[in-house]
Amino acid sequence: PRLYRESGLGSTELEIAISTVPEPNAPQQVFFGSLETFSKKPVETSVDMVYGRWTLAARPKQGWGQNSGIGIFEFYASLLALCVVAPIVWVGFLTKSRQQTIEKLRLHKKKLVRAQQRLEYLSLHDALTGLPNRRFVDRMISQPPRPAPGDCLILIHIDLDRFKEINDTKGHAGGDTVLQATAFRLADLAGPNDVAARIGGDEFIFASWSTNPEPKANALAQQIVDTLEQTLFIDGAECLVGASVGVAWETERAGDRDLSQLLLNADLALYEAKKTGRGRAAIFTEELRSAAIHSKELADEFNHALDRDELVAFFQPQFNANTLDIVGVETLARWDHPRKGLLAPDKFLDVAERLGRTGDMDRLILQKALFELTRWDSLGMQIPRVSVNMSARRLAQPNLLAELSELPLASGRLCFELLETISFDELQPVLNEIIPAVKELGIEIEIDDFGTGHASIVSLLRFEPRRLKIDREIIKPIIASPSQRRLVTSIIEIGRSQNIDIVAEGVETMEHAKILKDLGCHILQGYALARPMTSEQLIEFCRIKDKGATAAGR
Ligand code: C2E
Ligand code: CA
Ligand code: CA
């Protein structure tokens, strides 16, 4: 009993029973409490004794359910379980979806890399021909993939000769065909380390490597010219394109600097090739570089010249072939260069053309010519007409007609000399509009340098010019050459049939003047009769001429 007491078995709240077996079924097995307790869903525990095992059973005296303690406990336990299980389930769910996201991400990344590679490819290649493009070449030049240590880079800059014509006549589809065929031909020439690239419009680059670049560059350039000269077929029609190429290669000098200079060098060589005729290859030289530097200086100076009014008008009288009276003067541009003195057009026309400023120059010279004409009139001089040279660029200027219509000019006092080499065919649509409008204003049209250009006589005559001026290269040999005289005669015949006067320029001797007069030429211009001169000199020239005539008359 003391053991029971001290163990607290006499609790007033709990009904406790102890048995000698785990699940008693007879009262004698229960030696403390009653057997019933075991059948009332008690809590049980066993106690190991030295001689056996007791089973203790206990339940609240009021029975289960009355005691909220367990219910609360159960509630909290469930809550706790929920708190533990829910995050685990949630984390599981998250882990799974994370796995899926990672998988998706990996896929996206793959696609992204592929798209990026595609973009990178597109940005370095030309869509039309599939060849590498300008960026590719620039990159190649900044990080040259030198195949072997001693290899030098060869760059060949290629420009198609008749691309514009083909684009104009065959349309853009025809132009595209030409570019694709060119790309194909160039790619066909390229060896394993070579690059054929399209760097813009109708311009291509061919890059190659060699330890001995000169012979290889020469051979390649010739091969390229030959290949691109071969006939193409567009819509079954034969088509000749042709190309000019400029060649440069890395030398000791170029090697220790950056290779971008090489592209400029090839460019300069190409410019030279174009200048000396189509279908040619030209090689870069140091002379070309210094010429380019010089022409760059001259170009800068020419821009200033226009702004600072350094251009001067000179005048060369033109004479009636029979009477030798002055019938007009041709205005010729001169540049009064601050250091080099008076320069003739052969020193600056190219520069003006390249700068796109011949139009501005012609406008300026026309102003000066008309200013002087007014002055001569006010001095009572008999200068019936002043001629100015008109570049294609000036003719095509949109404001030309508006400006001309504001001039207070009597009909026939101003004449435009149009170079026969102004590509009449190319400019046909513009000229078809401009020329009749110019004539409408009372300005005469004269075809200059007749017999040297490539325009067909028929297309020239369509404009019904007032005069044809035979080129001085045709006039010069007439003394010695009967065939050249016959040529002049037939030009005069054409003129007569169309009611067009004929002017001969480059009349260098009085013998020329006599022959030309006898052949039926109307107007003569040349050193034999008068050189180009300033307005002041012309005033003096006319005064002396008048005096002579008066004296002769007397
Ligand atoms: P061009 O229109 O054929 O002008 C005639 C050129 O022949 C002038 O050269 C003149 O000085 C030169 N000349 C005159 N008589 C003789 C002669 O008996 N023998 C020889 N050998 N030559 C003679 P210049 O002044 O050097 O002009 C050269 C070219 O420059 C002109 O050729 C013309 O095409 C162009 N030009 C001149 N002024 C202008 C201009 O204001 N605007 C434009 N766009 N071109 C101009
Ligand atoms: Ca002229
Ligand atoms: Ca001329």
Side-chain angles (χ1 to χ4, degrees):
R2 200 175 124 227
L3 173 68
Y4 299 152
R5 208 170 39 245
E6 295 204 344
S7 313
L9 290 180
S11 161
T12 47
E13 285 160 29
L14 294 177
E15 178 187 324
I16 296 170
I18 306 173
S19 120
T20 51
V21 293
E23 279 169 32
N25 47 24
Q28 64 268 25
Q29 290 164 339
V30 178
F31 59 90
F32 183 87
S34 74
L35 175 64
E36 256 178 23
T37 308
F38 280 94
S39 54
K40 289 181 185 161
K41 292 190 190 157
V43 288
E44 288 177 20
T45 184
S46 46
V47 182
D48 279 321
M49 310 306 278
V50 185
Y51 48 84
R53 179 180 280 188
W54 291 357
T55 299
L56 269 83
R59 67 180 285 272
K61 279 195 174 135
Q62 287 86 3
W64 297 115
Q66 254 68 28
N67 190 332
S68 58
I70 285 289
I72 290 168
F73 170 75
E74 279 176 336
F75 172 72
Y76 281 118
S78 313
L79 204 66
L80 193 71
L82 196 71
C83 285
V84 173
V85 171
I88 290 174
V89 170
W90 191 55
V91 165
F93 170 76
L94 279 186
T95 312
K96 193 174 169 208
S97 91
R98 188 165 174 274
Q99 210 58 38
Q100 284 172 341
T101 312
I102 288 176
E103 207 44 52
K104 274 188 203 161
L105 215 69
R106 210 172 276 150
L107 212 75
H108 277 310
K109 193 175 159 189
K110 227 191 239 171
K111 278 191 194 164
L112 219 73
V113 167
R114 236 181 287 142
Q116 196 183 351
Q117 283 170 341
R118 178 91 191 123
L119 274 178
E120 178 83 351
Y121 179 88
L122 287 178
S123 78
L124 291 173
H125 289 79
D126 164 43
L128 178 68
T129 62
L131 290 187
N133 63 11
R134 175 77 197 212
R135 274 191 71 216
F136 185 102
V137 173
D138 286 344
R139 191 180 282 193
M140 181 182 87
I141 284 171
S142 63
Q143 306 153 2
R146 209 173 291 279
D151 275 349
C152 295
L153 179 61
I154 299 168
L155 280 187
I156 303 180
H157 191 172
I158 303 151
D159 186 291
L160 299 184
D161 284 335
R162 275 171 291 266
F163 182 69
K164 196 184 168 311
E165 282 163 47
I166 289 171
N167 232 355
D168 290 347
T169 54
K170 307 266 178 194
H172 283 288
D176 287 355
T177 308
V178 169
L179 294 174
Q180 283 162 335
T182 306
F184 184 79
R185 288 170 171 186
L186 290 177
D188 206 35
L189 283 181
N193 292 318
D194 299 348
V195 172
R198 178 180 175 218
I199 58 166
D202 59 342
E203 288 181 47
F204 296 81
I205 286 278
F206 194 97
S208 188
W209 299 90
S210 171
T211 43
N212 186 13
E214 183 166 355
K216 178 156 187 199
N218 279 318
L220 267 174
Q222 200 49 53
Q223 261 178 310
I224 290 172
V225 168
D226 292 346
T227 310
L228 298 184
E229 220 166 48
Q230 284 163 21
T231 313
L232 264 175
F233 289 89
I234 297 177
D235 299 334
E238 271 193 27
C239 206
L240 282 172
V241 187
S244 302
V245 310
V247 188
W249 57 83
E250 201 181 344
T251 61
E252 297 286 283
R253 269 193 71 188
D256 46 37
R257 288 194 260 123
D258 70 318
L259 289 173
S260 57
Q261 184 64 38
L262 212 54
L263 205 54
L264 290 178
N265 294 354
D267 229 38
L268 280 177
L270 175 62
Y271 182 72
E272 183 66 14
K274 286 252 162 204
K275 211 165 66 179
T276 40
R278 292 165 162 189
R280 283 190 69 254
I283 285 161
F284 170 78
T285 59
E286 281 303 321
E287 289 72 51
L288 278 187
R289 191 206 305 280
S290 41
I293 291 171
H294 175 245
S295 102
K296 167 81 177 70
E297 278 170 9
L298 205 69
D300 292 342
E301 289 174 346
F302 186 78
N303 271 325
H304 287 306
L306 285 172
D307 303 336
R308 294 184 194 145
D309 199 23
E310 288 170 7
L311 289 188
V312 186
F314 268 50
F315 304 94
Q316 186 176 29
Q318 299 171 325
F319 301 85
N320 178 311
N322 294 310
T323 64
L324 291 187
D325 288 337
I326 294 182
V327 292
V329 293
E330 177 181 6
T331 315
L332 295 160
R334 296 288 180 268
W335 176 4
D336 193 5
H337 192 281
R339 281 179 292 110
K340 297 176 181 156
L342 213 57
L343 300 181
D346 62 327
K347 296 283 188 298
F348 59 86
L349 272 187
D350 264 6
V351 171
E353 184 59 42
R354 237 177 307 136
L355 291 170
R357 299 209 66 178
T358 39
D360 298 333
M361 178 180 88
D362 288 350
R363 182 201 283 121
L364 211 97
I365 295 292
L366 172 63
Q367 275 172 10
K368 287 177 189 273
L370 293 177
F371 177 81
E372 296 302 333
L373 184 67
T374 319
R375 187 162 157 229
W376 302 327
D377 284 352
S378 69
L379 290 174
M381 288 161 62
Q382 303 296 315
I383 309 285
R385 176 177 63 240
V386 66
S387 304
V388 292
N389 292 284
M390 264 294 140
S391 58
R393 221 179 262 279
R394 174 63 177 141
L395 266 186
Q397 277 181 348
N399 53 358
L400 176 75
L401 285 176
E403 285 180 30
L404 292 178
S405 57
E406 282 178 11
L407 299 176
L409 262 184
S411 182
R413 297 220 63 199
L414 177 62
C415 170
F416 285 172
E417 294 191 12
L418 310 186
L419 281 190
E420 191 195 316
T421 43
I422 287 183
S423 175
F424 278 92
D425 303 324
E426 213 173 281
L427 278 176
Q428 191 90 28
V430 185
L431 297 184
N432 279 345
E433 257 183 59
I434 299 276
I435 290 182
V438 164
K439 290 206 293 199
E440 197 63 28
L441 293 170
I443 298 169
E444 296 179 340
I445 297 292
E446 185 168 319
I447 304 296
D448 200 356
D449 294 351
F450 187 75
T452 55
H454 315 286
S456 76
I457 292 183
V458 179
S459 81
L460 288 180
L461 296 183
R462 200 170 324 135
F463 294 119
E464 299 176 350
R466 184 70 192 79
R467 280 177 291 274
L468 292 181
K469 190 191 253 191
I470 307 177
D471 189 72
R472 51 187 179 279
E473 292 308 314
I474 294 180
I475 299 298
K476 203 184 250 171
I478 56 169
I479 295 180
S481 158
S483 71
Q484 210 67 9
R485 277 201 296 278
R486 277 199 297 279
L487 178 58
V488 172
T489 309
S490 54
I491 293 175
I492 292 170
E493 282 305 320
I494 294 172
R496 192 167 291 147
S497 72
Q498 306 282 323
N499 205 19
I500 295 170
D501 282 357
I502 304 297
V503 186
E505 68 173 3
V507 181
E508 292 191 345
T509 65
M510 286 318 282
E511 202 181 347
H512 280 92
K514 168 135 195 353
I515 295 172
L516 288 163
K517 182 189 96 169
D518 293 344
L519 291 179
C521 234
H522 303 91
I523 298 170
L524 307 179
Q525 177 183 351
Y527 292 167
L529 302 163
R531 293 197 168 240
M533 55 188 89
T534 62
S535 177
E536 303 301 327
Q537 290 167 332
L538 181 71
I539 294 169
E540 188 59 22
F541 180 87
C542 289
R543 192 165 30 230
I544 293 169
K545 197 168 184 307
D546 272 353
K547 250 190 220 159
T550 320
R554 226 191 287 134

